[in-house]
């Protein structure tokens, strides 16, 4: 096939309303010109990172709306928007798989193009790390405190599958899906550059493993421990076998 011909077609004319509305001329110019790509995998590498940034922009924007709805105790809106956030986080994690089609050698060639760049500088990731605490504040202030509720009450002693409980579970799911992204990213590093090697920022495995220990909403994980210990106290450390009927 005539590459130059198809490269031109890929750009589009930029004159249709579809192209104007989506600003495709600017969007499709966000990647390196084909002639400057260092190998056949670099376009994918750039696009996956760019798409990840767009999903993180959408997630951050949606979390701001969720915060407003938490303050209004508008639970249906909170849950619908959390569904969007959860799906976007799943997409982010699934997309990492695309980069597993890149060989370790091709990554090393791409790495030479990255300068001092590191995922730690990702604007989307950095803003997301700052959002959970204010979200928890809004949840606490508008779902727990007004009715004298606590995490223990909504999960255990006064459990009724209440609005506070389902919102808490949506927060827990956000935390869990963020961890899954981080875990799959660690696997991607394992597969691409190895976990023992040094990166520009030091030993990547240590940095990333520290991230894996971060819990946005520790109260929501701790309650599970407390419940298992409290309920477990009824049967001690070991349960009796059920035995013959
Ligand atoms: C083959 C592909 C990839 C490799 C080899 C890789 C490698 C690394 C390494 C070694 C680090 C540790 C910091 C450093 O040394 O720079 C890191 C951090 C990071 N990377 Fe990647 N990465 C890849 C793809 C991605 C993608 C697609 C994203 C999408 C968002 C991403 C987001 C991040 C983030 C947010 C951090 C900071 C993590 C934290 O501070 O906990 N990486 N990456």
């Amino acid at each position: 096939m005539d590459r130059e011909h198809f490269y031109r077609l890929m750009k589009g004319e930029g004159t249709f309303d579809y192209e104007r509305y989506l600003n495709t001329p600017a969007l499709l110019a966000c990647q390196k010109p084909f002639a400057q790509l260092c190998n056949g995998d670099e376009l994918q590498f750039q696009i996956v990172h760019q798409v990840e940034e767009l999903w993180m922009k959408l997630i951050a924007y949606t979390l701001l709306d969720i915060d407003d709805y938490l303050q209004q105790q508008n639970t249906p809106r909170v849950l619908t928007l959390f569904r969007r956030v959860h799906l976007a986080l799943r997409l982010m994690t699934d997309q990492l798989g695309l980069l597993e089609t890149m060989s370790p050698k091709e990554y090393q060639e791409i790495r030479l193009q990255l300068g001092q760049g590191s995922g730690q500088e990702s604007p989307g990731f950095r803003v997301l790390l700052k959002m959970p605490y204010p979200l928890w504040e809004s949840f606490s202030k508008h779902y727990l405190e007004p009715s004298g509720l606590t995490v223990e009450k909504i999960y255990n002693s006064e459990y009724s599958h209440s609005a506070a409980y389902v919102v808490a579970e949506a927060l827990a799911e956000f935390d869990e899906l963020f961890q899954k992204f981080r875990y799959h990213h660690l696997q991607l590093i394992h597969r691409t550059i190895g976990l023992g090697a040094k990166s520009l920022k030091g030993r990547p495995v240590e940095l990333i493993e520290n991230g894996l220990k971060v819990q946005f909403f520790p109260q929501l994980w701790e309650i599970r421990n407390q419940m298992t210990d409290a309920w477990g106290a009824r049967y001690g450390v070991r349960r009796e076998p059920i035995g013959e009927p």
Side-chain angles (χ1 to χ4, degrees):
M1 285 198 275
D2 176 355
R3 274 185 176 266
E4 293 306 322
H5 170 67
F6 284 102
Y7 286 168
R8 272 196 304 281
L9 289 183
M10 282 184 213
K11 269 201 216 162
E13 301 288 329
T15 52
F16 293 119
D17 276 357
Y18 176 93
E19 295 171 301
R20 287 203 189 98
Y21 179 74
L22 294 176
N23 202 0
T24 53
L27 181 67
L28 299 174
C30 284
Q31 298 76 42
K32 272 186 170 182
F34 296 125
Q36 289 172 26
L37 294 169
C38 73
N39 61 33
D41 278 314
E42 195 179 3
L43 179 63
Q44 172 188 241
F45 186 84
Q46 251 193 339
I47 287 179
V48 171
H49 281 81
Q50 288 174 341
V51 172
E52 297 275 18
E53 287 299 330
L54 290 177
W55 288 132
M56 288 189 278
K57 179 176 178 176
L58 179 65
I59 292 171
Y61 178 81
T62 309
L63 289 177
L64 290 176
D65 280 351
I66 288 176
D67 192 54
D68 288 346
Y69 287 123
L70 283 172
Q71 291 178 36
Q72 297 163 21
Q73 293 183 44
N74 187 336
T75 307
R77 286 279 191 187
V78 168
L79 294 184
T80 301
L81 291 183
F82 256 127
R83 193 167 124 71
R84 183 178 300 170
V85 163
H86 297 154
L87 281 169
L89 268 170
R90 285 201 176 88
L91 286 174
M92 280 184 64
T93 305
D94 284 352
Q95 277 165 41
L96 293 177
L98 278 168
L99 292 173
E100 291 178 357
T101 63
M102 170 180 63
S103 72
K105 175 149 188 208
E106 267 135 345
Y107 175 72
Q108 295 299 337
E109 290 168 1
I110 293 170
R111 200 175 175 212
L112 300 176
Q113 316 292 311
L114 303 179
Q116 299 279 321
S118 152
Q120 284 175 288
E121 296 158 4
S122 152
F125 198 78
R126 289 163 77 97
V127 72
L128 287 182
L129 292 179
K130 291 190 166 56
M131 300 184 92
Y133 186 70
L135 279 176
W136 181 262
E137 290 256 293
S138 296
F139 169 69
S140 228
K141 199 160 157 207
H142 298 277
Y143 278 81
L144 299 180
E145 289 163 24
S147 324
L149 291 171
T150 60
V151 170
E152 194 285 328
K153 285 181 181 172
I154 61 171
Y155 274 84
N156 194 31
S157 54
E158 295 179 19
Y159 170 72
S160 65
H161 212 95
S162 58
Y165 167 79
V166 289
V167 171
E169 282 296 278
L171 289 165
E173 191 160 343
F174 176 76
D175 210 345
E176 181 179 316
L177 289 168
F178 208 86
Q179 285 299 316
K180 282 184 178 161
F181 171 82
R182 287 183 134 163
Y183 181 73
H184 281 266
H185 175 254
L186 179 67
Q187 293 294 103
L188 178 65
I189 296 179
H190 193 187
R191 182 141 171 182
T192 314
I193 59 174
L195 290 181
K198 281 205 181 111
S199 79
L200 286 175
K201 310 278 168 187
R203 275 172 57 78
V205 66
E206 281 158 17
L207 182 121
I208 304 285
E209 277 178 356
N210 286 341
L212 272 172
K213 289 182 203 140
V214 173
Q215 292 180 339
F216 289 146
F217 309 115
Q219 301 88 328
L220 299 181
W221 304 111
E222 188 48 34
I223 184 62
R224 277 122 165 124
N225 299 332
Q226 286 168 11
M227 284 173 70
T228 306
D229 286 345
W231 285 70
R234 293 185 190 177
Y235 53 74
V237 179
R238 280 188 50 166
R239 270 177 288 199
E240 290 304 319
I242 292 175
E244 295 297 319

